[in-house]
Amino acid sequence: MSKKDTISIQLVREALLQSCAPGAATDEVLSKVGIDPALLDDAQARVPAHAYARLWRLLARRLDDEFFGMDPRKLKSGSLAFLCQCAMAQPSLASGLTAGLGFLSLMLENLPAQWMRQQSLAEIVLLEDDQEPRRAFTYFTYWMIVHGVACWLAGRRIPILSVELRCSAPDFCDDYRVMFSQNLRFDRPRTRMIFAAECLDLPIRRNADELKRFLAQAPANILVKYRNPQSLASRIRHDLRQLPAERWPETEALAQQLCVSASTLRRRLAEEGQTYQGLKDSVRKDLAITWLAEPSISFVEIASRLGFADASSFYKAFRKWSGSNPGHYRSLILNDSD
């Protein structure tokens, strides 16, 4: 795992909130997994993802609960393994999700879920009661498990278009946005994750040996999707979001701004698994999804803001990014009463 695979100490504090008594017990647990307890007082501190994974496993063993004690029913040790076994026996991701979500709905009292296909889009929806929403960390831990297992079953990362949550936005969201999607919406009527429906048709071809390797590395192999927000790619993506698309620099100009050569810029981005064009497309997609959630912004205006020559070019690009046309996505995202 790269040294850049780190997560915020804020998520460590969230994990400990319901699963470990403060004070000496917390200090002992953190020391066992290689996290300095003093970091809890530094809101900007980051820890290796593998250390967080060790913390997860240690707390799961001690509590016999792989869900940090956040549900009245324990997600007992071995639940992740059984979830994977149930899902991998299915022919496609659609049926694998049905099996996996069914198992989690039986195990967890407060988070029943189901997936639905809406033409070219799909969503996983938590069928919660009308009680107070759970805290953001509870929802994101659930999504971390479901999305992580789904990606392993499919043998590829499944891009998330948007995540909506019933809870209010927590003070810290950076890692959640990096891991899941820039498009997080809070205080929504329901909690759901939206992605391209074509992913549901992906075949599942996993065997017992692959399952053993996956479980031996879990949950570090799920957490590895976290990335340091101070990475070059994250900095460039942040800077692009602050500028109108027509002012985005070309590669040579960007390199000059960063005081490096264009070849060095390309190399450093390649080391992070990125390209400048890919970053620009990613920011365009995120901005498009954000603006499609605002009914007052027309498709023509969105196309113009993103630097497209016309709405038709935007339509084609959005379908390439998401597998859906903008109109269908807007209809789904605004249909809160369905």
Side-chain angles (χ1 to χ4, degrees), residues 98-129:
T98 299
L101 294 175
F103 170 72
L104 289 175
S105 296
L106 286 173
M107 295 297 293
L108 299 174
E109 181 177 325
N110 289 335
L111 298 171
Q114 68 181 35
W115 67 265
M116 292 175 281
R117 186 191 292 260
Q118 303 277 3
Q119 299 180 38
S120 57
L121 295 171
E123 57 181 346
I124 300 174
V125 183
L126 296 184
L127 308 174
E128 299 178 88
D129 53 32

Side-chain angles (χ1 to χ4, degrees), residues 216-271:
Q217 299 170 9
N221 48 358
I222 297 175
L223 293 167
V224 77
K225 290 189 289 295
Y226 282 112
R227 289 292 181 267
N228 188 339
Q230 300 307 313
S231 69
L232 177 61
S234 296
R235 287 164 49 202
I236 293 173
R237 190 181 284 111
H238 173 270
D239 290 346
L240 291 177
R241 291 177 70 91
Q242 311 310 308
L243 295 171
E246 66 268 16
R247 290 178 54 195
W248 287 359
E250 297 299 326
T251 302
E252 295 287 345
L254 176 62
Q256 187 173 14
Q257 292 175 17
L258 296 173
C259 300
V260 298
S261 67
S263 60
T264 297
L265 172 62
R266 295 189 187 96
R267 177 179 55 78
R268 289 178 59 187
L269 285 175
E271 289 173 352

Side-chain angles (χ1 to χ4, degrees), residues 28-244:
E28 184 254 343
V29 163
L30 292 179
S31 297
K32 274 185 175 293
V33 301
I35 298 175
D36 183 354
L39 292 178
L40 291 175
D41 298 323
D42 180 1
Q44 303 304 314
R46 300 188 67 80
V47 301
H50 62 75
Y52 187 85
R54 288 199 297 266
L55 174 65
W56 189 335
R57 291 196 297 267
L58 177 60
L59 293 173
R61 288 196 303 271
R62 292 193 172 189
L63 296 173
D64 191 23
D65 187 351
E66 296 179 346
F67 202 59
F68 298 117
M70 296 187 296
D71 190 85
R73 298 176 186 163
K74 291 183 176 182
L75 193 63
K76 293 190 174 184
S77 296
S79 294
L80 178 61
F82 191 79
L83 186 158
C84 293
Q85 289 171 343
C86 292
M88 66 183 281
Q90 305 302 316
S92 69
L93 186 61
S95 52
L97 277 176
T98 299
L101 294 175
F103 170 72
L104 289 175
S105 296
L106 286 173
M107 295 297 293
L108 299 174
E109 181 177 325
N110 289 335
L111 298 171
Q114 68 181 35
W115 67 265
M116 292 175 281
R117 186 191 292 260
Q118 303 277 3
Q119 299 180 38
S120 57
L121 295 171
E123 57 181 346
I124 300 174
V125 183
L126 296 184
L127 308 174
E128 299 178 88
D129 53 32
D130 293 330
Q131 297 179 7
E132 288 296 311
R134 282 74 200 172
R135 58 192 175 109
F137 182 74
T138 301
Y139 293 128
F140 282 119
T141 300
Y142 184 92
W143 292 133
M144 190 189 310
I145 294 171
V146 170
H147 185 245
V149 170
C151 292
W152 175 74
L153 291 170
R156 49 167 278 194
R157 179 170 174 81
I158 297 171
I160 299 170
L161 299 179
S162 180
V163 174
E164 297 186 346
L165 301 106
R166 290 178 62 222
C167 64
S168 298
D171 293 335
F172 181 81
C173 280
D174 290 355
D175 282 45
Y176 296 146
R177 295 186 190 281
V178 172
M179 183 172 187
F180 296 103
S181 170
Q182 289 291 326
N183 295 292
L184 305 181
R185 301 176 73 207
F186 296 90
D187 296 308
R188 307 306 301 163
R190 54 188 172 178
T191 297
R192 59 178 176 169
M193 175 186 290
I194 300 173
F195 56 97
E198 62 186 19
C199 295
L200 294 169
D201 301 322
L202 293 170
I204 296 175
R205 297 192 182 96
R206 292 297 187 181
N207 57 45
D209 289 338
E210 290 172 316
L211 176 59
K212 288 180 182 177
R213 289 194 293 270
F214 177 73
L215 295 174
Q217 299 170 9
N221 48 358
I222 297 175
L223 293 167
V224 77
K225 290 189 289 295
Y226 282 112
R227 289 292 181 267
N228 188 339
Q230 300 307 313
S231 69
L232 177 61
S234 296
R235 287 164 49 202
I236 293 173
R237 190 181 284 111
H238 173 270
D239 290 346
L240 291 177
R241 291 177 70 91
Q242 311 310 308
L243 295 171

